[in-house]
């Protein structure tokens, strides 16, 4: 089982917390798994309003399709994947969760 949450929620144990963000808060002491972070170009384009949710989703899903879901799951089983956006907000963490679920793995948002 993999879990997801966001840094500020603090609903997670830092011993099993893993940042999947391009940048990580300075206070965060957990591990990082940059393989699931969005590219700098994709993230910057989104922040600047040059890329909308649909394009972001398409491009990030295209990237995820190049990864081995089984390896990613095995690397992160039992971990909590974190990024910045609150639950319910559009973000890549939810796209990662959907990709893992579509590949047969269990993911729960805390």
């Amino acid at each position: 089982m993999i879990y997801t949450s966001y840094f500020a929620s603090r609903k997670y144990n830092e011993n099993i917390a893993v940042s999947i963000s391009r940048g990580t808060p300075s206070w965060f002491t957990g591990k990082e798994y940059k393989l699931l972070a969005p590219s700098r170009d994709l993230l910057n384009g989104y922040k600047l309003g040059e890329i909308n949710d649909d394009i972001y989703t398409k491009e990030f899903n295209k990237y995820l399709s190049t990864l081995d879901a089984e390896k990613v799951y095995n690397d992160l089983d039992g971990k909590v994947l974190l990024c910045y956006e609150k639950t319910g907000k559009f973000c890549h963490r939810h796209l990662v969760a959907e990709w893992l679920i579509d590949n047969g793995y269990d993911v729960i948002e805390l």
Side-chain angles (χ1 to χ4, degrees), residues 13-106:
N13 177 331
E14 281 210 16
N15 294 327
I16 61 169
V18 177
S19 168
I20 60 167
S21 293
R22 173 74 23 220
T24 301
S26 60
W27 52 262
F28 180 73
T29 60
K31 297 183 182 201
E32 296 181 29
Y33 196 83
K34 294 293 188 187
L35 190 65
L36 294 180
S39 71
R40 198 169 303 286
D41 288 343
L42 185 61
L43 185 59
N44 287 340
Y46 186 76
K47 286 182 176 182
L48 293 171
E50 298 166 353
I51 296 173
N52 64 24
D53 292 359
D54 292 336
I55 293 171
Y56 186 102
T57 298
K58 180 180 176 186
E59 292 301 312
F60 194 68
N61 283 338
K62 188 187 314 180
Y63 168 71
L64 289 174
S65 74
T66 69
L67 303 179
D68 181 340
E70 182 177 15
K71 179 184 180 336
V72 170
Y73 185 83
N74 289 335
D75 288 349
L76 299 172
D77 189 19
K79 305 294 186 202
V80 180
L81 310 185
L82 303 173
C83 71
Y84 287 94
E85 288 72 28
K86 292 182 178 180
T87 303
K89 297 283 185 179
F90 176 79
C91 76
H92 82 289
R93 168 178 97 242
H94 302 299
L95 299 176
V96 168
E98 185 177 306
W99 171 70
L100 287 166
I101 290 167
D102 288 347
N103 280 280
Y105 301 102
D106 293 325

